[in-house]
Amino acid sequence: MRRLLYLITSERTLEQDPLFVVRPELAGPPEVVLLQEGVRLANIPVELVSVLGEDLQERGLQSSYPVIGYRELLDKIFTADQVVRL
């Protein structure tokens, strides 16, 4: 099963891009990591969403999504078959 990882860095992403179009060759659901200004997003229409803790803390925000650190982010990047930055 191929793994697709979206890195969302802007809260305007949902307005600009048709988000999470799963291509036929990708068997599993996409995974999303919110970072930079993307941590301000809520209600992402995907099950596997996490948020970078350092970016949340820097902006004084909290999130209902699981919080990860840079190590976990790198693990996700290196284990994904495709990484898309939005």
Side-chain angles (χ1 to χ4, degrees):
M1 173 170 54
R2 293 181 50 85
R3 295 182 55 208
L4 176 60
L5 174 64
Y6 286 102
L7 302 178
I8 300 181
T9 60
S10 169
E11 61 184 318
R12 295 186 50 85
T13 296
L14 294 177
E15 299 167 11
Q16 295 172 349
D17 297 307
L19 191 59
F20 310 124
V21 176
V22 180
R23 296 184 355 211
E25 68 270 18
L26 299 170
E31 185 171 359
V32 176
V33 177
L34 304 175
L35 39 111
Q36 297 172 355
E37 293 304 316
V39 300
R40 298 180 188 281
L41 292 172
N43 300 321
I44 303 295
V46 171
E47 292 180 29
L48 301 173
V49 178
S50 54
V51 61
L52 189 62
E54 287 81 354
D55 287 342
L56 274 179
Q57 185 177 19
E58 183 177 300
R59 290 158 180 79
L61 299 173
Q62 294 182 354
S63 178
S64 60
Y65 298 120
V67 176
I68 63 170
Y70 284 109
R71 181 179 300 245
E72 292 90 355
L73 174 60
L74 288 174
D75 287 343
K76 290 176 184 295
I77 290 171
F78 287 116
T79 58
D81 294 305
Q82 182 177 0
V83 178
V84 179
R85 181 182 168 269
L86 299 174

